[in-house]
Amino acid sequence: MRVGRTLTHHFEIETRQYDLLGIDLGEGARRRMIIFGAVIIILWIALLFPFIGVPKKPTVSLYVVPPFVITAFGWRPGKFHERRRRVTEWALAVRYALRAHRPIIGLGARAADKTEYLPWRERVATRKVADLAKARVTPEWEREVVVELDPMVRAGADITVNQRARLLGSDHVQRVSRRTSSGKGRE
């Protein structure tokens, strides 16, 4: 499989909002990020309002901080795909954990059975979740590197490759093509 690499940064034009309700925003905030943040705030308030009620002095931070944190960290470029936002990567990870990828069988000739999906315990690393719950996660620099050898691969003696270059003339190539095209060995 070939992998293409883009060595230049993609060209991105974004509109900015320089003032909002009479407040100067300095260099300006990205308009898409403002819209995304407004949607997150509205959804968060709609989620909390039935449980907590009207925001009061002790609960204002509960109403304000989580949407701003989600907006600030979620609008950054993704870790794995620079052109995606982190919110998109989070949503795809949650979708994969809950639903998995739907297998395509025979280029869509038939729908997959439930038995052909990956089970939940294979999609989500249950060992990682258990280690996180017990707070037994070892840092990357303290982990031992384990190299597993494939028992089917055996090393043998070195082999030598003798190659000879052959120059074939056009008359020989024509004879060979006549032989293969007619099916008989005429010369």
Side-chain angles (χ1 to χ4, degrees), residues 9-180:
H9 190 68
H10 63 278
F11 188 65
E12 184 176 318
I13 298 175
E14 55 188 29
T15 57
R16 293 185 172 261
Q17 185 72 30
Y18 293 99
D19 63 339
L20 187 64
L21 303 173
I23 300 170
D24 185 25
L25 297 178
E27 292 182 14
R30 299 179 199 144
R31 285 192 181 156
R32 284 189 179 178
M33 186 174 80
I34 292 172
I35 293 169
F36 173 73
V39 169
I40 293 294
I41 287 173
I42 290 169
L43 290 175
W44 185 253
I45 290 173
L47 179 75
L48 284 184
F49 191 76
F51 298 109
I52 298 176
V54 179
K56 297 176 184 158
K57 201 170 193 177
T59 61
V60 167
S61 61
L62 188 61
Y63 272 95
V64 174
V65 173
F68 279 111
V69 170
I70 291 171
T71 303
F73 288 109
W75 200 255
R76 292 182 180 175
K79 283 183 181 178
F80 307 109
H81 302 282
E82 191 176 303
R83 299 185 93 176
R84 283 185 183 160
R85 300 291 177 203
R86 287 196 180 177
V87 169
T88 307
E89 289 182 354
W90 297 341
L92 290 174
V94 167
R95 179 182 169 262
Y96 179 71
L98 296 176
R99 201 168 171 198
H101 294 298
R102 304 281 173 152
I104 299 172
I105 298 169
L107 296 174
R110 72 171 178 87
D113 286 337
K114 293 260 185 192
T115 58
E116 294 171 325
Y117 294 159
L118 280 176
W120 187 80
R121 65 182 171 277
E122 289 182 25
R123 285 181 271 151
V124 178
T126 53
R127 183 174 169 214
K128 284 184 181 179
V129 173
D131 287 344
L132 283 174
K134 294 177 184 175
R136 290 189 305 178
V137 179
T138 57
E140 187 72 33
W141 60 86
E142 291 181 2
R143 293 183 188 156
E144 293 182 27
V145 177
V146 179
V147 179
E148 296 181 12
L149 299 174
D150 188 5
M152 300 302 289
V153 177
R154 297 197 182 353
D158 293 340
I159 61 170
T160 57
V161 178
N162 295 326
Q163 295 179 348
R164 288 186 301 158
R166 254 174 120 175
L167 181 63
L168 301 175
S170 61
D171 55 341
H172 180 72
V173 173
Q174 286 176 354
R175 277 185 285 171
V176 169
S177 66
R178 271 188 258 135
R179 257 191 273 160
T180 57

